Amino acid sequence: DKLHVGGFVLALASADDCWYRAQVVRRLNDEFCVQYVDFGNREWRRSGHLRQLLREPHSELPAQAIACSLADIVPAGEEWTPEDTAELDNLFLDTPMLAKVKEVRDPESEATTYVVEMYDPSSGQDVLVAAQLAASGHGKLLPSALSFMLPENTSVPEYVKQLGDAAVDKLPDLCRCLLHYKEQDAVLELSAAIRTLLDENKACHAEFLRSAAISLLCRALEIVEGDETRGNIVASFSLLIASVPGVCEAIASHGGIKFICQFLSLLSSTSLVQTCCLVLRQLSEISQAMRDVIRDGGGVRLLCQLLSLACQDPQIVEAVVSAMVAFAGDSERNCEALRNEGVVQAACSILGHETSVRSHEQAAQCLEVIAAHCPRAASSFRRTGAIVQLSSVMLQCQNDKAMV
């Protein structure tokens, strides 16, 4: 049989009924899987759609398609899905790309594969395609992706010190620097610069989201040290949430909410806790889906624990209750989640301490929301003595209209 696996043929493509050079890679009876050597794609064709080539086509013109593997990224699940492939095709569609070969696998065999970094220069700066793919939820970046195109350096780039248009254009690069730099002072300065640039240049927020920099900031939350640095990153999220639709989903998909919840601890500074609570409040006000992510990330449990432990700190109490009230909304399900994590007991602990009137107001507001939307709240109120505590505080604050 002249049509055999490994042989070169001319194949009539089903897409346009034109003949193209191809190589037979599989056979099943009278059907042949062919790979078009100048394009890279494969399809099954019958023998009537194939013509044998008398000599290898590479002798005159090398194959124009070569096997490549995208560097620095792995599947989000166990393996690549058709949806992942479609998203990658969409990124490449009608877009000239830049490629940098990082590795050549099996260079002496016919299965030679080039592992490449791909960059999209269409936005005026070289955006890593792997980062774009990961930002859309169709893959996970490897640590090797985080230092691409960055020199080993510990000094802050000069354009950071002269905040302006040049620095705004470099925002994605600044986010990568957060992951690359080792000196904590430099990382702190970079995080402050990112926060300032986002605060003063709202017009760049949408482009910032498209650049896949959100995934870099979420990764930075996991590895940076220092409450001030973390606070700058979380505050940057707050600025973006307030102005760019879709940023919440990006933060959630890259694990940012989980790290924010982890900072809800007395080990964190008051400023960091306040900023984290602000972001959780903003996220809760967006959708029930965001509330579900907060709950699944342990945010409800940690908020209730913090409320109980920080009863003497009115700033933290106010921030925590504000986040709780936004999370609860008017949903019985959300209020029940708070009740199950001990919010009634935590609020009662505040009412039982001689703290500020404002803290008492906040605790009462929290109990009001639970009582209004949680049918099983009555048993918790009786068990924890909430009714007695509320009555006692009301007697002490008879002239305070807000408390009454």
Side-chain angles (χ1 to χ4, degrees), residues 166-293:
V168 171
D169 293 339
K170 295 289 187 178
L171 262 171
D173 286 337
L174 297 186
C175 295
R176 298 182 190 108
C177 289
L178 284 176
L179 304 164
H180 187 69
Y181 284 20
K182 306 303 181 184
E183 292 292 333
Q184 293 305 308
D185 288 345
V187 174
L188 174 59
E189 188 172 353
L190 284 168
S191 69
I194 292 169
R195 177 180 180 174
T196 299
L197 288 167
L198 289 173
D199 188 27
E200 297 179 353
N201 299 274
K202 301 293 192 299
C204 75
H205 287 190
E207 182 61 35
F208 185 84
L209 177 60
R210 288 192 292 271
S211 74
I214 292 293
S215 62
L216 300 174
L217 285 183
C218 290
R219 172 64 175 159
L221 273 186
E222 183 180 11
I223 64 175
V224 299
E225 300 177 0
D227 282 1
E228 192 172 354
T229 300
R230 291 167 175 167
N232 285 330
I233 296 174
V234 177
S236 297
F237 286 151
S238 178
L239 293 167
L240 291 165
I241 291 170
S243 66
V244 185
V247 74
C248 299
E249 289 77 8
I251 295 171
S253 67
H254 292 290
I257 295 178
K258 177 184 68 175
F259 298 125
I260 291 171
C261 291
Q262 290 175 356
F263 299 150
L264 297 175
S265 164
L266 287 181
L267 298 177
S268 301
S269 67
T270 297
S271 175
L272 177 57
V273 169
Q274 287 178 302
T275 307
C276 290
C277 287
L278 170 60
V279 171
L280 293 181
R281 190 196 78 196
Q282 290 175 300
L283 292 168
S284 294
E285 292 171 346
I286 296 295
S287 68
Q288 181 59 45
M290 290 298 103
R291 298 186 191 110
D292 291 341
V293 175

Side-chain angles (χ1 to χ4, degrees), residues 32 87 143 199 228 274 283 316 328 334 362 371 387:
F32 298 81
E87 179 63 21
D199 188 27
E228 192 172 354
Q274 287 178 302
L283 292 168
I316 291 182
N334 297 333
Q362 292 288 318
I387 296 176

Side-chain angles (χ1 to χ4, degrees), residues 33-313:
C33 180
V34 297
Q35 179 167 358
Y36 296 102
V37 297
D38 296 318
F39 299 92
N41 59 305
R42 297 182 178 187
E43 69 171 338
W44 286 89
R45 305 299 283 158
R46 292 188 176 276
S47 59
H49 299 138
L50 306 179
R51 299 290 185 269
Q52 184 186 19
L53 284 175
L54 298 180
R55 56 182 175 179
E56 291 189 2
H58 301 74
S59 61
E60 296 181 359
L61 179 66
Q64 299 301 291
I66 57 175
C68 293
S69 175
L70 194 59
D72 306 321
I73 192 168
V74 294
E78 294 183 358
E79 58 185 18
W80 295 109
T81 67
E83 291 77 14
D84 298 333
T85 303
E87 179 63 21
L88 183 61
D89 288 343
N90 183 57
L91 290 175
F92 281 116
L93 184 63
D94 298 327
T95 304
M97 295 284 183
L98 301 176
K100 175 183 177 182
V101 178
K102 293 189 66 176
E103 179 187 354
V104 180
R105 295 174 181 166
D106 301 321
E108 304 300 327
S109 73
E110 294 183 358
T112 300
T113 300
Y114 295 85
V115 181
V116 296
E117 288 177 346
M118 298 295 297
Y119 301 97
D120 178 4
S122 60
S123 65
Q125 49 188 313
D126 295 338
V127 178
L128 189 66
V129 171
Q132 290 180 301
L133 197 61
S136 62
H138 293 280
K140 294 188 296 186
L141 287 179
L142 296 174
S144 55
L146 303 177
S147 58
F148 80 97
M149 294 181 68
L150 288 172
E152 288 291 338
N153 199 351
T154 57
S155 61
V156 178
E158 190 63 32
Y159 56 75
V160 176
K161 300 175 182 178
Q162 301 172 356
L163 298 180
D165 292 339
V168 171
D169 293 339
K170 295 289 187 178
L171 262 171
D173 286 337
L174 297 186
C175 295
R176 298 182 190 108
C177 289
L178 284 176
L179 304 164
H180 187 69
Y181 284 20
K182 306 303 181 184
E183 292 292 333
Q184 293 305 308
D185 288 345
V187 174
L188 174 59
E189 188 172 353
L190 284 168
S191 69
I194 292 169
R195 177 180 180 174
T196 299
L197 288 167
L198 289 173
D199 188 27
E200 297 179 353
N201 299 274
K202 301 293 192 299
C204 75
H205 287 190
E207 182 61 35
F208 185 84
L209 177 60
R210 288 192 292 271
S211 74
I214 292 293
S215 62
L216 300 174
L217 285 183
C218 290
R219 172 64 175 159
L221 273 186
E222 183 180 11
I223 64 175
V224 299
E225 300 177 0
D227 282 1
E228 192 172 354
T229 300
R230 291 167 175 167
N232 285 330
I233 296 174
V234 177
S236 297
F237 286 151
S238 178
L239 293 167
L240 291 165
I241 291 170
S243 66
V244 185
V247 74
C248 299
E249 289 77 8
I251 295 171
S253 67
H254 292 290
I257 295 178
K258 177 184 68 175
F259 298 125
I260 291 171
C261 291
Q262 290 175 356
F263 299 150
L264 297 175
S265 164
L266 287 181
L267 298 177
S268 301
S269 67
T270 297
S271 175
L272 177 57
V273 169
Q274 287 178 302
T275 307
C276 290
C277 287
L278 170 60
V279 171
L280 293 181
R281 190 196 78 196
Q282 290 175 300
L283 292 168
S284 294
E285 292 171 346
I286 296 295
S287 68
Q288 181 59 45
M290 290 298 103
R291 298 186 191 110
D292 291 341
V293 175
I294 292 171
R295 185 186 63 249
D296 295 342
V300 176
R301 173 178 53 82
L302 292 167
L303 282 170
C304 291
Q305 290 179 357
L306 188 59
L307 186 63
S308 178
L309 295 172
C311 57
Q312 299 286 356
D313 189 329

Side-chain angles (χ1 to χ4, degrees), residues 295 300-301 304 327 332-345 370 374 376-377 379-380 383:
R295 185 186 63 249
V300 176
R301 173 178 53 82
C304 291
F327 174 84
E332 175 184 337
R333 171 180 158 195
N334 297 333
C335 290
E336 183 66 18
L338 287 166
R339 188 189 73 86
N340 289 338
E341 294 295 349
V343 68
V344 175
Q345 184 173 358
I370 300 300
C374 184
R376 294 198 286 177
S379 61
S380 296
R383 187 176 65 254

